[in-house]
C-alpha cells in the first residue's frame, strides 16, 4: 500500500463516515447541516484525490481499488441514515436502487477484470452525471433545512429520483457492454 497524498485523502474520506453518522444523530438543530457539510468535505476529497493522483503521477492499483470503495461506503451510509428518517417508500426504493446498482456494478467490474476486459465497464458520462445528482441530492437531504429559502428536502428528493433513474440507465449501459464481450 502506497501512502501517497491521494491515498491519504481516500483514507480521510473513509474516516469521515463515522463522523457523518455521529453528527447526523446528535440531538442539535444543526446536526443535519453539519453532517451535510462533512459529507460535502468527503465529496471534495473524492475529486481532489483523483486530481492529485493524476497531477502528481501517484496513481496506484491500491488507490484505484480503494477510491470506489470509499465512495460506495460513503453513499451507502448516507442513504441508510436518510432512510432511517421518515422518508417514505420512494426514498427507500431510490436507496435500494442506488445501493443495489453499486453492488451489481462492483461484481460486474470484478468479473470483467477476470476476463481481461476491465475497460469495457469503465466509468461513462452517464455514471458521472448520476454521481453528481446523487451527491447533491444526499447533501441537500442531509442538510434538511431550507437553503437561501429553497426547500432543500424537496429538491433533494427530486434529485435522488433523478439519480436513481440515471443509476438504472448506467447499470443497463454497463450490463449491455459486458454482455457483448462475454458472448
Amino acid at each position: 500500500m502506497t501512502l501517497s497524498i491521494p491515498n491519504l485523502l481516500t483514507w480521510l474520506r473513509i474516516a469521515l463516515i463515522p463522523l457523518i453518522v455521529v453528527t447526523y444523530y446528535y440531538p442539535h438543530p444543526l446536526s443535519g447541516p453539519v453532517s451535510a457539510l462533512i459529507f460535502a468535505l468527503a465529496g471534495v476529497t473524492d475529486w481532489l484525490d483523483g486530481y492529485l493522483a493524476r497531477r502528481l503521477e501517484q496513481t496506484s492499483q491500491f488507490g484505484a481499488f480503494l477510491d470506489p470503495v470509499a465512495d460506495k461506503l460513503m453513499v451507502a451510509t448516507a442513504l441508510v441514515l436518510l432512510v432511517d428518517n421518515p422518508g417514505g417508500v420512494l426514498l427507500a426504493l431510490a436507496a435500494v436502487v442506488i445501493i443495489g446498482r453499486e453492488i451489481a456494478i462492483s461484481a460486474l467490474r470484478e468479473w470483467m477484470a477476470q476476463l481481461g476486459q476491465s475497460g469495457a465497464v469503465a466509468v461513462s458520462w452517464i455514471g458521472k452525471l448520476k454521481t453528481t445528482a446523487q451527491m447533491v441530492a444526499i447533501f441537500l437531504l442531509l442538510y434538511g433545512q431550507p437553503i437561501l429559502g429553497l426547500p432543500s428536502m424537496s429538491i433533494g428528493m427530486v434529485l435522488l429520483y433523478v439519480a436513481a433513474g440515471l443509476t438504472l440507465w448506467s447499470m443497463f449501459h454497463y450490463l449491455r457492454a459486458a454482455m457483448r464481450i462475454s458472448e
Side-chain angles (χ1 to χ4, degrees):
M1 177 182 74
T2 308
L3 285 179
S4 63
I5 293 171
N7 285 348
L8 289 173
L9 286 170
T10 303
W11 281 115
L12 173 62
R13 187 161 65 257
I14 292 170
L16 289 173
I17 293 169
L19 192 56
I20 293 168
V21 174
V22 169
T23 56
Y24 186 77
Y25 283 112
Y26 189 78
H28 190 277
L30 293 178
S31 62
V34 170
S35 65
L37 291 173
I38 296 168
F39 181 83
L41 172 65
V44 169
T45 69
D46 182 26
W47 173 83
L48 189 58
D49 69 13
Y51 172 78
L52 289 176
R54 289 182 296 278
R55 178 91 172 155
L56 301 175
E57 297 181 6
Q58 293 182 344
T59 59
S60 67
Q61 289 181 342
F62 182 74
F65 156 76
L66 189 62
D67 182 66
V69 169
D71 297 343
K72 287 164 185 42
L73 287 172
M74 190 175 77
V75 167
T77 299
L79 289 171
V80 167
L81 292 175
L82 294 168
V83 169
D84 185 44
N85 277 340
V89 68
L90 293 178
L91 177 60
L93 284 173
V96 167
V97 165
I98 291 168
I99 293 170
R101 180 257 188 208
E102 295 302 338
I103 293 167
I105 296 304
S106 292
L108 178 67
R109 285 189 172 128
E110 184 176 329
W111 179 53
M112 294 309 289
Q114 288 176 355
L115 296 177
Q117 298 289 330
S118 57
V121 286
V123 175
S124 70
W125 69 270
I126 300 167
K128 290 182 183 290
L129 185 60
K130 181 260 324 169
T131 298
T132 302
Q134 176 178 280
M135 299 303 263
V136 173
I138 291 171
F139 171 81
L140 292 171
L141 292 169
L142 287 172
Y143 199 90
Q145 299 176 16
I147 300 174
L148 301 173
L150 297 172
S152 66
M153 293 299 287
S154 297
I155 296 169
M157 289 301 292
V158 168
L159 284 174
L160 193 65
Y161 301 148
V162 167
L166 291 170
T167 291
L168 291 173
W169 183 12
S170 68
M171 182 176 72
F172 291 127
H173 169 79
Y174 293 135
L175 288 171
R176 188 175 62 230
M179 285 181 1
R180 284 188 212 139
I181 289 169
S182 66
E183 292 179 343

